[in-house]
Amino acid sequence: MNIIEGQLSLDGSEKIAIINSRFNHIITDRLVEGASDAVVRHGGNKDNIDLILVPGAFEIPFALSKILESGKYDGVCCVGAVIRGSTPHFDYISAETTKGIASVGLKSAVPVTYGVLTTDTIEQAIERAGSKAGNKGFEAMTGLIEMISLYKNL
Ligand code: INI
């Protein structure tokens, strides 16, 4: 059996984009820190990371679609935080953001990963942004690193 897989390592030449939403930035900035830390810890070069800021999670797929046109990135990691309020707004934003990232990512020549928190409470978001449940930005970037390596082998 031939196993084709990616490695969890970068050589420093990879150009990586992080798209982050400003909404709930107290949370999302921590996700960016985690994502950037993952690049450095796996051999990447922090100077080769571009951070693209959008107003809210809903805008992430639009920016993603636009930056992929440039062809200058080896992969894109999307982070954000959608936190439930007292209206159905959360459901619309979280569903469209998730579907949008997936549908743009499926047409992309380079990998795209998803580090958007969708939580019922701000406490749950804090837990996933560098405290007791880890850092989902770090996890999403680690997934991207593996996928960048895998795409080279496919
Ligand atoms: N955007 C978020 O990233 N997180 C949220 O929790 C959120 N809530 O709850 O409203 C949110 N809304 C803004 C949205 O993403 C768009 O920026 C806005 O609707 C303009 O298109």
Side-chain angles (χ1 to χ4, degrees), residues 21-24 28 54-60 80-85 89-90 93 97 116-117:
S21 52
R22 294 181 194 276
F23 207 105
N24 296 319
T28 64
V54 295
F58 185 78
E59 283 73 37
I60 293 174
V82 192
I83 301 173
R84 193 182 288 281
H89 195 66
F90 167 93
I93 299 290
T97 301
V116 180
L117 302 178

Side-chain angles (χ1 to χ4, degrees), residues 30-88:
R30 303 289 84 74
L31 300 176
V32 172
E33 285 171 7
S36 156
D37 189 35
V39 170
V40 174
R41 282 169 179 257
H42 291 95
N45 182 352
K46 207 171 181 176
D47 294 337
N48 282 340
I49 303 173
D50 283 350
L51 174 63
I52 294 120
L53 296 174
V54 295
F58 185 78
E59 283 73 37
I60 293 174
F62 298 91
L64 175 62
S65 175
K66 186 75 188 158
I67 66 162
L68 286 171
E69 283 171 18
S70 74
K72 72 178 188 184
Y73 297 108
D74 294 294
V76 186
C77 177
C78 302
V79 299
V82 192
I83 301 173
R84 193 182 288 281
S86 53
T87 70

